[in-house]
């Protein structure tokens, strides 16, 4: 597949690099209208004052990405899948438009020698070469204009600057008078700046392509150099004849335009459903992630608004803004100020919820502010005051990664970090949007004198090893605090082992396997052994809803008792309709008793989908005729942990297959909760349940999870990467028909519809039936049963591309 990206900015580079990272074999071409290789526009000020070159602010592009420069695209031919510049044509399979925006002006300045905008490297050159012996006039007081003004203020060649502001405030009209005063004080310090509020250009005189005089409502300015910073608009004129546009290129929440093979992201895109155009780097990268996931078929992903953080860093003050997607102007403001420290914290509150924060020279933990907005917590004004001096970590340096000055210093001192490149082993600060890159480098440079000269230099591998061991020891200490009785004798375990005729060697082998599979340090083996001894302390309710009982049967239908069966003798599996001896009213009494007596302690395991149509009446259970939904809600209310097992419990699975007449959904959707732990599979491997329970039991915490709340230790690896038939895939040896020569020789099943390249699970390493086999080993391709919507999307004997083609034809 060939993906062409139009654009050469941060969003375009992010797209190209991440596509190559996720799909190295995909051909990626970036087409940029600029003459320079992609660079970081956030640091354009460094080009104005010559503190950096274009190479210094260049962006790193994956060496596998092709870059075409000086190619301004003028049209798109959707039918032939080609884009055209004035002298070239480029073909694509998928096209991503990431052309960003263009600056606006109040009148045409194309031919004027002493007027400019501030958007690219050429603009910087024009400004740098044209400001000598002129009165610099900046129109607009947004973040870009204010940063440029700060840069020009420090340049000896600039004698005076006039900032024209149509309103009566700086940065934002909602900014308080106190914040405005602090900012003005900093700008007025050396007397080179005049700020003219409620003012604008009303007349101009031009001779020989030069502005000789500017008249505003309040003043006359001779021999000016005019710089516009009045706003931007999407750079999409070339696309208007080919695809639907409004202010920007119209997309759905998957960042897909009306043409299924054309996507748009960033400032060029207008998400139609929410009428949104991105204005921050973070929003652009979020949209890029959505487009990549959908183009590569990794998952169906949609863009959603998130809390955004913006920063304005001037030498004498910092301004930090945190804004919720739900911010409106129907707010009340809480102001906490300190004249002594020149600190102002402005809290914008709507219905007791914090929707915006602006801090000037603030010490408040921005990560805390962000969490309040994300979780939509009610705020307590007194608490805000009491915590106004949070922030002993010093100045916030990187808003993307929430990294503070002291965090960087501590890393430098602890590990002897000498430069930004080495620091990249520990943090992405300075590398996400790039805005704080220089500040991070400056802190590292300024901390070198704190490094112990006798400290041995450690490799990245040494550092990672130390981190791993330290984490292991910390968690073992936590386990010992939680389980002071963990030095139990293993009499009970040993007697059961004897009954099952399983040797100590087999148990130790299984413990080592679980330790390795859960990606724990080897020191955990002893802890896992103790954890097994204690498993009978965990009460469990296992519900079966709309399903085939396959996940339950996976535990009980094996030719020889295995360690997974043994483990389930050691948990208190108090309620399971299929396995428990009690029935009828007696079983219901058991269930009610657990819910009442073990409130907040028991674990709820749910197998099967939940029918939602007809108020859930497609599934009724027990003597009271409860619907599956009612039973689930009752059991989930006071559960300490909820685990969904099997594909049906993930998202409805087979039960929810089109046309889904019962309205079946997964556990998370039925409960309206996002904290459900998902262990999908058809059926799930028992090892995955046991490992997750072990982690919870031993540490009262869950293993690391992916975006679908699946444990990474079980669902991170790709089937394709660990498949024993992978070698045949690389050699191009495929089964073409069931029973053919390739099938007899164990060749790759990709051409027969194997979904291994799209599926993430530990089936090849764990296998089933005590490690006997798994579907591909047995001769059938993977059906992707651990992925969302697998039955409708993957459960065929056709390749993905063929399936999509069939859908289009229909």
């Amino acid at each position: 597949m060939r993906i062409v990206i139009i654009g050469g900015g941060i969003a375009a580079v992010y797209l190209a690099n991440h596509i190559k990272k996720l799909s190295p074999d995909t051909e990626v071409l970036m087409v940029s209208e600029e003459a320079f290789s992609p660079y970081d526009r956030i640091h354009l000020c460094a080009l104005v004052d010559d503190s950096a070159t274009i190479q210094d602010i260049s962006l790193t592009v994956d060496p596998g990405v092709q870059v075409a420069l000086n190619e301004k695209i003028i049209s798109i031919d959707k039918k032939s899948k080609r884009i055209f510049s004035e002298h070239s044509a480029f073909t694509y399979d998928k096209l991503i438009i990431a052309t960003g925006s263009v600056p606006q002006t109040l009148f045409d300045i194309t031919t004027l020698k002493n007027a400019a905008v501030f958007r690219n490297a050429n603009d910087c050159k024009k400004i740098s070469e044209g400001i000598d012996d002129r009165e610099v006039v900046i129109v607009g007081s947004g973040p870009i204009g204010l940063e440029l003004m700060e840069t020009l203020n420090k340049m000896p060649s600039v004698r005076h600057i006039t900032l024209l502001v149509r309103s009566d405030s700086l940065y934002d009209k909602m900014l308080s008078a106190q914040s405005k005063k602090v900012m003005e004080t900093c700008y007025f310090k050396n007397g080179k700046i005049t700020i003219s509020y409620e003012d604008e250009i009303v007349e101009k005189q031009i001779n020989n392509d030069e502005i000789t005089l500017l008249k505003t409502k309040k003043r006359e300015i001779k021999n000016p150099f005019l710089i516009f910073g009045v706003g931007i608009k999407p750079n999409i004129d070339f696309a208007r004849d080919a695809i639907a546009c409004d202010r920007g290129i119209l997309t759905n929440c998957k960042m897909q335009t009306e043409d299924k093979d054309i996507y748009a992201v960033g400032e060029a895109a207008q998400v139609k459903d929410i009428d949104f155009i991105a204005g921050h780097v973070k929003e652009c990268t979020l949209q890029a992630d959505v487009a990549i996931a959908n183009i590569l078929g990794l998952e169906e992903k949609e863009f959603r608004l998130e809390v955004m953080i913006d920063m304005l860093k001037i030498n004498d003050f910092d301004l930090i803004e945190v804004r919720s997607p739900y911010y409106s102007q129907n707010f009340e403001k809480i102001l906490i100020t300190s004249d002594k420290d020149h600190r102002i914290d402005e809290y914008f509150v709507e219905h007791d919820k914090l929707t915006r924060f602006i801090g000037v020279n603030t010490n408040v933990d921005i990560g805390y502010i962000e969490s309040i907005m994300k979780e939509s917590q009610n705020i307590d004004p007194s608490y805000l005051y009491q915590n106004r001096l949070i922030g002993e970590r010093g100045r916030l340096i990187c808003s993307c990664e929430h990294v503070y000055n002291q965090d960087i210093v501590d890393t430098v001192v602890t590990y002897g970090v000498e430069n930004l490149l080495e620091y990249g082993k520990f943090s992405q600060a300075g590398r996400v949007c790039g805005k704080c890159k220089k500040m991070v480098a400056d802190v590292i440079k300024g901390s070198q004198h704190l490094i112990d000269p006798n400290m041995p230099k450690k490799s990245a591998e040494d550092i990672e090893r130390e981190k791993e061991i330290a984490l292991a020891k910390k968690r073992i200490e936590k386990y010992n605090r939680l389980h002071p009785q963990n030095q139990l004798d293993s009499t009970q375990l040993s007697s059961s082992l004897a009954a099952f005729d399983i040797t100590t060697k087999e148990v130790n082998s299984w413990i080592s396997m679980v330790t390795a599979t859960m990606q724990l340090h080897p020191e955990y083996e002893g802890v896992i052994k103790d954890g097994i001894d204690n498993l009978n302390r965990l009460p469990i309710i296992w519900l079966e809803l709309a399903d085939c009982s396959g996940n339950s049967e996976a535990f009980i239908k094996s030719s020889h008792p295995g360690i997974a069966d043994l483990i389930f003798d050691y948990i208190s599996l108090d309620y399971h309709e299929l396995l428990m001896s009690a029935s009828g009213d007696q079983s219901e009494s058991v269930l009610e008793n657990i819910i009442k007596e073990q409130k907040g302690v028991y674990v709820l395991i749910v197998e099967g989908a939940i029918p939602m149509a007809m108020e859930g009446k497609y599934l009724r259970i027990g003597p009271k005729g409860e619907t599956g939904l009612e039973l689930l809600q009752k059991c989930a209310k006071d559960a300490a942990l909820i685990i969904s097992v099997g594909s049906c419990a993930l998202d409805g699975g087979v039960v929810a297959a089109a046309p889904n007449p019962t309205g079946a959904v997964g556990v998370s959707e039925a409960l309206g909760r996002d904290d459900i732990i998902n262990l999908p599979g058809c059926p799930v491997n028992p090892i995955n349940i046991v490992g997750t329970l072990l982690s919870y039991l031993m540490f009262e915490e869950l293993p690391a999870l992916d975006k679908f709340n699946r444990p990474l230790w079980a669902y991170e690896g790709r089937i394709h990467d660990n498949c024993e038939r992978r070698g045949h895939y690389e050699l191009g040896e495929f089964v073409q028909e069931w029973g053919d020569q390739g099938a007899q020789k164990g060749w790759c099943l990709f051409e027969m519809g194997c979904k291994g390249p799209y599926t993430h699970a530990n089936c090849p390493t764990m296998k089933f039936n005590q490690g006997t086999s798994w579907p591909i080993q047995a001769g059938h391709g993977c059906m992707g049963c651990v992925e969302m919507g697998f039955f409708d999307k993957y459960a065929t004997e056709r390749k993905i591309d063929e399936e999509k083609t069939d859908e289009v034809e229909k």
Side-chain angles (χ1 to χ4, degrees):
M1 178 166 63
R2 189 177 203 235
I3 299 176
V4 174
I5 302 166
I6 307 178
I10 293 175
V13 171
Y14 182 91
L15 282 161
N17 289 344
H18 280 70
I19 290 170
K20 292 300 290 185
K21 180 179 179 180
L22 295 169
S23 181
D25 296 333
T26 298
E27 182 182 354
V28 179
L29 168 66
M30 287 176 56
V31 182
S32 172
E33 67 179 83
E34 293 210 41
F36 305 104
S37 295
Y39 58 89
D40 186 351
R41 298 175 193 273
I42 290 173
H43 292 110
L44 285 177
C45 285
L47 299 184
V48 174
D49 65 7
D50 291 326
S51 61
T53 65
I54 192 73
Q55 289 75 29
D56 294 331
I57 65 170
S58 64
L59 296 168
T60 302
V61 181
D62 188 291
V65 174
Q66 304 172 52
V67 181
L69 301 176
N70 287 310
E71 299 285 0
K72 183 175 182 178
I73 300 303
I74 57 176
S75 64
I76 301 172
D77 185 343
K78 296 184 295 183
K79 187 173 182 180
S80 65
K81 288 192 171 183
R82 291 190 296 174
I83 57 174
F84 298 90
S85 68
E86 292 181 351
H87 41 74
S88 302
F90 305 92
T91 60
Y92 65 85
D93 294 312
K94 300 289 183 182
L95 178 66
I96 310 177
I97 300 172
T99 45
S101 58
V102 291
Q104 294 181 303
T105 59
L106 300 180
F107 52 85
D108 185 13
I109 63 170
T110 307
T111 62
L112 299 180
K113 300 174 184 177
N114 59 335
V117 290
F118 183 55
R119 195 64 179 171
N120 59 39
N122 290 329
D123 297 332
C124 295
K125 182 178 180 182
K126 187 175 183 179
I127 293 171
S128 179
E129 294 176 350
I131 56 179
D132 287 355
D133 297 322
R134 292 183 185 269
E135 171 84 1
V136 176
V137 179
I138 300 175
V139 182
S141 65
I144 293 175
L146 294 179
E147 285 186 340
L148 177 60
M149 185 167 68
E150 166 69 10
T151 298
L152 296 173
N153 191 27
K154 293 183 294 184
M155 295 175 63
S157 59
V158 176
R159 56 184 177 82
H160 194 265
I161 303 166
T162 298
L163 179 68
L164 297 182
V165 186
R166 292 185 66 179
S167 67
D168 62 354
S169 63
L170 295 174
Y171 184 78
D172 186 284
K173 62 182 180 181
M174 298 302 172
L175 200 67
S176 68
Q178 290 91 332
S179 293
K180 174 183 170 183
K181 182 178 179 182
V182 169
M183 295 169 67
E184 285 178 342
T185 301
C186 296
Y187 285 124
F188 294 158
K189 185 178 293 185
N190 66 5
K192 287 173 63 173
I193 293 176
T194 298
I195 301 178
S196 185
Y197 292 106
E198 297 180 328
D199 199 1
E200 59 185 316
I201 297 172
V202 294
E203 188 179 337
K204 58 187 179 297
Q205 293 180 8
I206 299 175
N207 293 312
N208 298 322
D209 291 332
E210 286 195 12
I211 303 172
T212 56
L213 176 68
L214 282 176
K215 290 185 178 181
T216 75
K217 289 180 178 179
K218 298 183 177 182
R219 62 193 67 239
E220 288 188 1
I221 303 170
K222 297 179 180 180
N223 192 28
F225 190 95
L226 177 63
I227 304 172
F228 280 114
V230 293
I232 56 176
K233 63 179 181 178
N235 181 20
I236 62 166
D237 287 347
F238 68 93
R240 288 191 179 276
D241 292 337
I243 47 182
C245 299
D246 183 23
R247 291 173 292 134
I249 295 172
L250 294 174
T251 75
N252 56 25
C253 289
K254 297 178 181 179
M255 307 315 300
Q256 188 178 48
T257 69
E258 60 182 356
D259 185 306
K260 67 180 182 64
D261 294 319
I262 300 178
Y263 291 73
V265 303
E267 295 172 332
Q270 179 179 346
V271 185
K272 185 166 57 175
D273 291 348
I274 54 177
D275 191 28
F276 175 78
I277 295 178
H280 295 81
V281 171
K282 182 64 173 177
E283 292 163 343
C284 296
T285 56
L286 288 172
Q287 290 183 351
D289 288 335
V290 170
I292 292 169
N294 289 298
I295 289 172
L296 298 182
L298 303 176
E299 61 175 300
E300 290 189 4
K301 196 171 185 178
E302 294 190 349
F303 172 71
R304 292 288 180 265
L305 293 174
E306 294 188 5
V307 174
M308 285 297 138
I309 302 175
D310 206 0
M311 303 179 70
L312 177 63
K313 293 178 178 291
I314 304 300
N315 278 353
D316 293 321
F317 76 86
D318 289 346
L319 185 150
I320 301 174
E321 178 184 359
V322 188
R323 187 191 295 242
S324 163
Y326 308 109
Y327 167 75
S328 74
Q329 294 188 14
N330 300 318
F331 61 81
E332 297 176 290
K333 186 185 287 189
I334 299 172
L335 209 62
I336 302 176
T337 69
S338 169
D339 291 340
K340 175 185 175 183
D341 299 324
H342 305 292
R343 188 187 72 248
I344 303 100
D345 296 332
E346 304 186 24
Y347 297 90
F348 298 73
V349 181
E350 300 177 43
H351 307 296
D352 295 327
K353 311 289 185 187
L354 183 64
T355 59
R356 189 181 184 189
F357 170 81
I358 297 178
V360 176
N361 298 327
T362 185
N363 289 323
V364 173
D365 187 341
I366 299 304
Y368 164 69
I369 296 296
E370 183 182 22
S371 68
I372 289 178
M373 292 187 190
K374 282 184 175 180
E375 297 168 13
S376 194
Q377 298 177 13
N378 285 0
I379 65 164
D380 178 356
S382 64
Y383 184 80
L384 296 178
Y385 175 74
Q386 292 165 7
N387 288 273
R388 69 196 182 283
L389 297 179
I390 294 176
E392 294 178 359
R393 293 153 67 190
R395 185 183 189 188
L396 179 67
I397 301 296
C398 178
S399 61
C400 298
E401 295 291 298
H402 297 150
V403 172
Y404 293 77
N405 187 92
Q406 194 59 42
D407 300 333
I408 301 173
V409 173
D410 290 345
T411 301
V412 169
V413 172
T414 302
Y415 298 106
V417 174
E418 295 180 355
N419 51 52
L420 187 64
L421 180 64
E422 289 185 9
Y423 184 70
K425 301 171 185 175
F426 305 93
S427 171
Q428 286 299 302
R431 298 168 182 270
V432 181
C433 76
K435 192 169 187 177
C436 61
K437 183 178 179 180
K438 185 177 184 303
M439 293 188 69
V440 174
D442 287 346
V443 175
I444 295 171
K445 183 178 180 180
S447 306
Q448 293 301 298
H449 68 284
L450 300 174
I451 300 175
D452 181 354
N454 299 316
M455 181 175 65
K457 195 72 174 177
K458 299 174 184 176
S459 67
E461 292 74 19
D462 292 335
I463 293 167
E464 287 304 313
R465 178 69 172 173
E466 286 182 3
K467 287 182 179 178
E468 183 184 359
I469 292 175
L471 179 61
K473 290 180 178 178
K474 184 177 179 181
R475 295 185 72 198
I476 288 172
E477 290 171 2
K478 179 180 179 181
Y479 172 80
N480 288 333
R481 290 196 305 271
L482 291 170
H483 307 283
Q485 76 285 15
N486 70 325
Q487 302 299 323
L488 300 174
D489 63 57
S490 56
T491 306
Q492 190 177 10
L493 177 63
S494 300
S495 61
S496 296
L497 287 173
F500 277 100
D501 194 26
I502 297 175
T503 67
T504 301
K505 179 181 179 182
E506 287 175 297
V507 174
N508 291 338
S509 174
W510 186 88
I511 290 172
S512 297
M513 179 272 294
V514 169
T515 305
T517 304
M518 291 176 67
Q519 299 177 4
L520 302 175
H521 192 275
E523 291 184 27
Y524 279 125
E525 290 192 7
V527 182
I528 287 190
K529 171 65 165 59
D530 291 331
I532 294 171
D533 282 337
N534 282 318
L535 269 176
N536 61 340
R537 301 174 60 85
L538 192 65
I540 292 181
I541 295 173
W542 185 308
L543 293 184
E544 271 205 77
L545 301 177
D547 77 320
C548 65
S549 301
N551 297 287
S552 297
E553 292 179 24
F555 290 102
I556 60 176
K557 285 192 173 181
S558 56
S559 54
H560 300 287
I563 192 67
D565 304 291
L566 172 65
I567 295 302
F568 268 79
D569 280 350
Y570 273 80
I571 62 174
S572 183
L573 189 52
D574 298 300
Y575 182 87
H576 190 305
E577 292 135 326
L578 183 65
L579 302 179
M580 66 192 298
S581 58
S583 61
D585 291 339
Q586 186 180 358
S587 69
E588 294 302 308
S589 298
V590 170
L591 179 61
E592 297 293 340
N593 184 63
I594 300 168
I595 294 173
K596 181 179 178 181
E597 301 298 330
Q598 302 283 350
K599 185 178 295 187
V601 177
Y602 66 86
V603 171
L604 174 62
I605 297 179
V606 185
E607 176 182 7
I610 301 90
M612 302 290 281
M614 290 180 60
E615 299 177 342
K617 293 175 182 176
Y618 278 101
L619 176 64
R620 289 190 178 277
I621 300 172
K624 299 177 184 177
E626 287 180 297
T627 66
L629 177 60
E630 290 170 340
L631 178 61
L632 173 63
Q633 291 172 333
K634 178 176 72 177
C635 295
K637 180 181 178 183
D638 294 313
L641 174 69
I642 304 174
I643 302 176
S644 79
V645 299
S647 301
C648 294
L650 173 68
D651 63 355
V654 177
V655 186
N660 191 11
T662 66
V665 300
V667 177
S668 181
E669 184 174 347
L671 292 174
R673 293 172 56 169
D674 59 7
D675 60 346
I676 310 302
I677 308 307
N678 295 312
L679 304 177
C682 194
V684 64
N685 193 318
I687 295 298
N688 296 347
I689 298 178
V690 174
T692 303
L693 288 174
L694 277 172
S695 183
Y696 177 72
L697 175 73
M698 290 188 290
F699 307 113
E700 287 188 358
E701 62 187 49
L702 291 163
L705 305 172
D706 68 9
K707 55 194 164 188
F708 299 120
N709 277 14
R710 304 179 301 188
L712 284 175
W713 65 267
Y715 295 94
E716 182 177 35
R718 194 168 61 148
I719 294 281
H720 186 60
D721 297 334
N722 295 298
C723 178
E724 62 258 40
R725 301 186 186 224
R726 176 67 186 266
H728 295 292
Y729 176 89
E730 301 295 345
L731 293 172
E733 296 174 344
F734 300 102
V735 176
Q736 300 293 336
E737 185 178 334
W738 296 120
D740 67 7
Q741 186 178 21
Q744 296 173 31
K745 292 182 178 180
W747 285 3
C748 178
L749 296 163
F750 182 69
E751 295 293 330
M752 300 303 293
C754 178
K755 306 307 188 298
Y758 316 102
T759 305
H760 297 79
N762 56 358
C763 302
T765 51
M766 290 298 96
K767 302 186 179 182
F768 291 83
N769 299 324
Q770 288 74 59
T772 302
S773 185
W774 66 296
I776 291 180
Q777 182 179 342
H780 194 287
C782 169
M783 293 172 65
C785 66
V786 300
E787 302 297 338
M788 299 291 286
F790 97 91
F791 197 79
D792 289 329
K793 187 175 181 181
Y794 292 144
T796 67
E797 292 179 358
R798 299 189 300 276
K799 291 168 63 178
I800 289 291
D801 288 342
E802 295 172 355
E803 188 172 8
K804 288 182 178 178
T805 301
D806 290 344
E807 291 173 357
V808 171
E809 291 175 353
K810 291 177 182 178

